[in-house]
């Protein structure tokens, strides 16, 4: 479909797929365009607007969600590839009504301003604390043989995939440290 | 005017919209899903100057799911208005690469995106001119600079004073184009019905968008409603409506369905504004003790061919330091470039990089401590306006900041402190920002079931406005903040000024306070009885603002930076950044600290990373995404902190507050560049402070 020559573009109907999406514990049967990203499916079809679109290119982290507990950029994930996975968005971090400790710490520490990067920061932070607990090293881990420690340098390094243009980093680090330690 | 004693103003209330934001319930503009919605995607010009000859709309209309392809020949006509940025798709002319030349509308985002990619546009291209140079023959003197300052100023005889000064600094500084890059892209959902036009929009001014958009569609303002309860950052880029608002409304009108449109991150580098690059020459003349006799600050900037934006880069120099002989000027050139606009502290941000770098150079030239140099040149009245200051605590910020930072005993010798493979240095710069206050209206209502609702079409773009206005209202109504419901972000609410010029708290706070006072008086007359329908009162501050007496009103600050510069790579790390501010009464210490350090973080980003590179061949900005236009990430930001000194100023507004949204970015880049000089002996006069500028400088 590159519209070469004088023939104009080729007009094929979009290819769709019927899948069962598991989001925040709910099973949702859905027909998706195979070109559709998980981010667009969540936002445009399921009205789960917590995951944000900041760049659509994997560069800002605003769209971060958890897939089988691991952080994933949903703008770089085609929905058809996650039909057998457990997806958690910021809306599903805590049980009804309550706040997840990370959410509560973000409010307490004022770890956001406009709030647009915040759902991505939260999903990323929750998964990141788990990665540290599981002993995964990062680029700044001095000793990769021992258990990883959640200090400021580790948090900053591991959270650098989530941009915050409001500049709430200092408070984000404080909030994560409060929860993680 | 006396300030009001207040139990809630001054307390660190958590953001009242915090729970919505951390749970994903806060609904931003693009997240509105009216029934029968269609998706629009824009097509941008691939030439920098010329004309659209033809658009092959018919071909893409055969794609499945396509609804419309709109361009200048088939677009609905807009009423002519002065702002050519907004009269989209009305003519074949292309004024800059990236300008919107067509818009496609489809059933799904995927189909619209694909159609936009496939749409063929034929152009007649003309040679372009996109390079800013101070000696560009097209440089002209604008009528005034943003928002309405005199273009030039002169006092005394600066040329003679410079000729006779014992010490002269004469240096040229440059700042690159910078893009706001709020994490929420500019977005609009447009919906026409019998009542008119509804816009869910990412804006810093619901009232402003309504007033601007209505005439384009020949509608009375009451027929346009702009809804924007949550905005994902603006930094000036969402201050005035850009093309996407009009495009969304126009497309929705054409297809007869609600339409959703967002600029993509890449498109934002052409269609949603940016900060002009600047070339600035600063000349300082002083005696051997560093006392200034002359200050000359000249700025050269760009604007677009279709719209003038004249950044007020040297205006700040008119009030910063004492000197009998002084001159400031601005010159612009119209280039075939995208349209520049307000970006966080327009004027002060680039201007203070140059002035405060030059002050550091003067301190070095005179052998005087840079804190001392600034104190020595403190004016007693506003040097150019001749007015007293309502309050000016720059010296207190410098002294107290120096104390907390551990400035005392600093060895001025550059390039001599090593820690491992790093050279260490410290630097200081002043900050300042004017106090603006704009007319606004508000209403306050006692609800029959208890509690109060306060309404104003203000915008909370992350500043904490919703929270501090709640505190102001709670004090005026003498109830806890939990009993106040604050409604903002909707043009159907009482008309309010833009979230810009750090004027929000002062402007909206005054209106909210007056509305609450009027309600309290009305309640008092009824002995506190709330009728079954509730009781409402409103206020308009236009009259009150007119009676304000002329004074020089500004907030001040001092920023201290410690940097480490890698000897091998030239990489600069900001190890510590401390801001000391004097900004009147701080209404919420928690959100205020976030504003200060958020501004400083953006300043750090500007100092080290941010640069939109003009591609001279193709005529547009080359690095059009967040992988190539770097903004500070978490690992770049270490020890950044701010504090403020107590400041009572009864000449501001009933809250006694000065704006704090922008001052944090003012001076930061100079403090860091001055620290880099102290660390390395290399004076970087061109931002950002890239590795090659240090390696090339002989680190
Ligand atoms: S939207 Fe996915 S990383 Fe930016
Ligand atoms: S809170 Fe605005 S981008 Fe992070």
């Amino acid at each position: 479909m590159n519209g070469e020559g004088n023939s104009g573009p080729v007009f094929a109907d979009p290819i769709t797929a019927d899948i069962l999406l598991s989001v925040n514990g709910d099973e949702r049967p859905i027909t998706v365009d195979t070109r559709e990203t998980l981010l667009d499916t969540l936002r445009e079809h399921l009205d789960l607007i917590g995951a944000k679109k900041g760049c659509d290119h994997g560069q800002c982290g605003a769209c971060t969600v958890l897939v089988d507990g691991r952080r994933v950029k949903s703008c770089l994930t085609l929905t058809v590839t996650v039909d057998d996975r457990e997806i958690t968005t910021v809306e599903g971090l805590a049980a009804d009504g309550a706040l997840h400790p990370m959410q509560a710490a973000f409010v307490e520490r004022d770890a956001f301003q406009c709030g647009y990067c915040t759902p991505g920061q939260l999903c990323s932070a929750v998964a990141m604390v788990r990665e540290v607990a599981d002993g995964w090293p990062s680029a700044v881990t001095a000793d990769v043989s021992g258990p990883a420690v959640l200090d400021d340098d580790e948090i900053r390094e591991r959270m650098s995939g989530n941009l915050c243009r409001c500049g709430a980093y200092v408070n984000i680090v404080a909030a994560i440290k409060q929860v993680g330690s | 005017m006396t300030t009001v004693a207040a139990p809630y103003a001054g307390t660190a209330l958590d953001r009242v919209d915090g729970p919505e934001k951390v749970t994903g319930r806060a609904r931003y503009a693009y997240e509105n899903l009216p029934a029968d919605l269609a998706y629009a995607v824009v097509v941008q010009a691939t030439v920098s100057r010329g004309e659209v000859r033809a658009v092959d709309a018919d071909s893409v209309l055969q794609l499945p799911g396509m609804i419309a392809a709109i361009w200048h020949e088939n677009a609905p006509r807009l009423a002519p208005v002065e702002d050519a940025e907004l009269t989209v798709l009305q003519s074949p002319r292309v004024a800059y690469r990236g300008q919107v030349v067509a818009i496609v509308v489809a059933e799904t985002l995927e189909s619209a995106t694909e159609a936009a990619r496939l749409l063929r546009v034929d152009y007649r291209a003309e040679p372009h001119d996109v390079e800013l140079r101070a000696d560009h023959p097209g440089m002209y003197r604008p009528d005034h600079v943003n928002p309405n300052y005199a273009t030039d100023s002169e006092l005394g005889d600066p040329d003679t004073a410079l000729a006779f000064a014992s010490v002269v600094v004469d240096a040229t500084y440059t700042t690159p184009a910078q893009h706001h890059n709020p994490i929420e892209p500019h977005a609009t959902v447009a919906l026409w019905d019998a009542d008119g036009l509804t816009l869910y929009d990412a804006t810093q001014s619901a009232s402003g968008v309504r007033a601007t958009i209505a005439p384009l569609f020949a509608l009375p303002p009451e027929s346009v409603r702009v809804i924007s309860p949550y905005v994902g950052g603006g930094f000036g880029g969402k201050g005035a409506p850009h093309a996407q608002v009009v495009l969304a409304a126009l497309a929705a009108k054409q297809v007869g369905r609600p339409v959703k449109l967002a600029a993509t991150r890449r498109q934002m580098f052409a269609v949603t504004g940016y900060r002009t690059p600047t070339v600035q020459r600063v000349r300082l003349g002083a005696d051997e003790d560093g006392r200034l006799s002359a200050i000359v600050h000249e700025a050269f900037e760009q604007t677009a061919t279709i719209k003038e934006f004249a950044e007020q880069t040297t205006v700040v120099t008119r009030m910063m330091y004492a000197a009998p002989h002084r001159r400031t000027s601005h010159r612009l050139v119209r280039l075939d470039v995208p349209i520049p606009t307000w970006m966080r502290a327009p004027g002060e941000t680039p201007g203070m990089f140059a002035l405060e770098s030059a002050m550091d150079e003067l301190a070095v030239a005179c052998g005087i401590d840079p804190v001392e140099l600034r104190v020595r040149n403190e004016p007693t009245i506003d040097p150019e306006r001749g007015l007293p200051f309502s309050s000016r605590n720059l010296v207190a910020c410098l002294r107290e900041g120096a104390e907390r930072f551990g400035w005392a005993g600093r060895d001025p010798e550059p390039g001599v402190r090593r820690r491992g493979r790093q050279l260490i240095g410290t630097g200081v710069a002043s900050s300042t920002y004017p106090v603006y206050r704009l007319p606004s209206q508000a209403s306050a209502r006692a609800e029959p079931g208890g509690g109060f609702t306060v309404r104003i079409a203000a915008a909370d773009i992350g500043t904490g406005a919703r929270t501090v206005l709640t505190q102001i209202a709670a004090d005026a109504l003498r109830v806890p903040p939990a009993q106040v419901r604050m409604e903002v972000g909707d043009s159907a609410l009482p008309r309010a000024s833009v979230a810009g010029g750090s004027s929000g708290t002062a402007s909206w706070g005054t209106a909210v306070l007056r509305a609450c006072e009027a309600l309290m008086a009305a309640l008092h007359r009824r002995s506190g009885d709330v009728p079954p329908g509730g009781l409402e009162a409103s206020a308009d501050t236009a009259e009150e603002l007119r009676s304000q007496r002329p004074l020089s009103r500004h907030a001040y600050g001092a920023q201290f930076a410690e940097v480490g510069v890698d000897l091998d790579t030239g990489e600069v790390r900001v190890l510590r950044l401390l801001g000391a501010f004097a900004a009147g009464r701080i209404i919420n210490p928690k959100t205020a600290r976030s504003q200060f350090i958020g501004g400083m973080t953006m300043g750090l980003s500007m100092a080290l990373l941010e640069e939109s590179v003009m591609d001279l061949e193709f005529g547009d900005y080359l690095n059009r995404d967040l992988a190539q236009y770097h903004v500070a990430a978490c690992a770049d930001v270490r020890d950044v902190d701010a504090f403020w000194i107590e400041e009572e100023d009864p000449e501001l507004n009933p809250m006694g507050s000065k704006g704090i949204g922008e001052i944090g970015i003012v001076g930061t880049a100079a403090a860091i560049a001055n620290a880099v000089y102290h660390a390395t002996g290399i004076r970087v006069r061109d931002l950002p402070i890239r590795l090659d500028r240090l390696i090339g400088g002989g680190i």
Side-chain angles (χ1 to χ4, degrees), chain B residues 167-169 288 358-368 677 683:
Chain B
V167 185
V168 172
V169 169
E288 269 136 28
M359 286 296 279
D360 201 63
E361 300 206 44
L362 181 64
V364 171
C366 296
I368 297 171
Y677 171 78
R683 178 67 64 182

Side-chain angles (χ1 to χ4, degrees), chain A residues 111-118 121 163-168, chain B residues 183 232-233 235:
Chain A
F112 55 89
Q113 295 181 41
C114 76
Y116 198 78
C117 73
T118 311
Q121 305 277 2
L163 298 178
C164 176
R165 189 55 161 159
C166 295
Chain B
I183 299 298
F235 315 113

Side-chain angles (χ1 to χ4, degrees), chain A residues 19 21 36 38 67 76-85:
Chain A
I19 62 171
L21 216 54
E36 202 169 309
L38 176 58
V67 174
L76 295 185
T77 306
L78 290 172
T79 311
V80 284
T81 67
V82 291
D83 69 338
D84 52 353
R85 313 284 204 87

Side-chain angles (χ1 to χ4, degrees), chain B residues 11 97 113 117 139 199 226 234 326 414 439 474 530 543 644 657 696:
Chain B
T11 61
R97 188 178 161 104
T113 305
R117 185 176 67 83
M139 279 290 167
L199 299 165
V226 180
R326 41 207 310 144
V530 179
E543 197 58 43
W644 45 91
S657 65

